[in-house]
Amino acid sequence: MLLPGAGGSAWVWHLVARELEARGHRAVPVDLPAGDDDAGLAAYTDVAVAAVPPGAEDVAVVALSMGALTAPLLCERLPVRLLVLHNAMVPVPGETGGDWWRVTGQHEAMVEHARSIGLSEADLQDDAVLYGHDVPPELLSEEGERDRDQSGRPFADPWPLAAWPDVPTRVVTGRDDRLFPRDFQHRIARERLGIVPDDIDGGHLAALSHPGQLAALLDRYAAEVHGGLVR
């Protein structure tokens, strides 16, 4: 299962899905109800569960960005054997998605990283600079057309689990992510999950700019789970 970030479009995963299918996996990109002002995390979870083919086993859930607020919630309702968080908002119990930005220091980390590569905070107001700097222009344009305005409703829900699910978990970081810089992601993963992320090339939308690298890593994780190597 491939969960998108803000904007909710499954299309962001279409290249990774193609790569996974070529490696023998069944890939299910999921549209989430980004534009529904009544849909909170429970509704997002319901939509994701409904997208799973009947009788599916050995489910791997891969979540981009804010999709990570939903991904762990699926473990109570599906036979999830692997969680993968990519350029992700890693939640903790009781924290809202809205609070996450302030609590983690995301803005400060983003601005500091931007300055280190010669960009100003004002430059980051341009989505092409913040998200699309490494994405082919035609893909970035289509991504913008497919994305919907993201409702703030799911960011208002306290994250409902008492603890992280007892499911093998991996974190994948885009080395050139400007929204969630690499060092910021490593710190959050270490502090909140005790995990050292794996890095791939690309920015926040590495699923569009480097789908082969990401799919190869997901394929490796799946093989490790089946071999009993990931805990």
Side-chain angles (χ1 to χ4, degrees):
M1 294 186 64
L2 302 168
L3 305 185
S9 174
W11 180 87
V12 74
W13 287 113
H14 77 285
L15 297 178
V16 174
R18 185 185 305 166
E19 294 275 354
L20 289 172
E21 296 276 1
R23 290 169 168 81
H25 300 276
R26 182 171 186 179
V28 183
V30 180
D31 278 313
L32 292 175
D36 186 348
D37 288 333
D38 294 323
L41 292 181
Y44 279 52
T45 303
D46 288 343
V47 168
V49 169
V52 177
E57 299 179 354
D58 295 340
V59 177
V61 180
V62 185
L64 169 64
S65 199
M66 75 163 286
L69 303 180
T70 300
L73 309 184
L74 304 183
C75 296
E76 295 184 328
R77 299 175 57 183
L78 295 172
V80 178
R81 293 196 61 191
L82 173 66
L83 282 171
V84 182
L85 312 180
H86 174 48
N87 292 337
M89 297 176 68
V90 181
V92 294
E95 179 181 80
T96 68
D99 286 340
W100 180 91
W101 307 87
R102 173 184 54 80
V103 171
T104 61
Q106 179 274 339
H107 181 78
E108 293 82 357
M110 177 181 70
V111 171
E112 180 180 355
H113 172 72
R115 289 171 178 162
S116 75
I117 59 174
L119 298 174
S120 70
E121 186 172 356
D123 291 330
L124 302 179
Q125 301 303 309
D126 183 344
D127 284 352
V129 172
L130 182 58
Y131 300 107
H133 53 95
D134 65 327
V135 178
E138 65 278 8
L139 289 176
L140 185 63
S141 177
E142 186 166 356
E143 193 272 338
E145 293 172 1
R146 289 176 177 271
D147 259 12
R148 292 153 287 170
D149 288 339
Q150 175 62 54
S151 167
R153 174 65 182 80
F155 291 100
D157 288 344
W159 197 65
L161 299 187
W164 196 261
D166 185 22
V167 172
T169 301
R170 287 292 182 265
V171 178
V172 182
T173 303
R175 293 186 181 92
D176 302 314
D177 193 337
R178 294 176 178 176
L179 180 66
F180 303 155
R182 177 209 178 264
D183 290 350
F184 167 78
Q185 289 196 54
H186 275 245
R187 174 175 64 81
I188 297 302
R190 182 177 65 251
E191 292 175 354
R192 297 191 166 202
L193 297 174
I195 290 173
V196 176
D198 290 310
D199 296 333
I200 63 171
D201 293 332
H204 199 67
L205 298 178
L208 294 176
S209 61
H210 293 83
Q213 282 192 40
L214 182 51
L217 198 52
L218 298 177
D219 181 58
R220 192 193 89 193
Y221 292 158
E224 290 173 347
V225 167
H226 279 287
L229 299 178
V230 180
R231 288 306 301 169

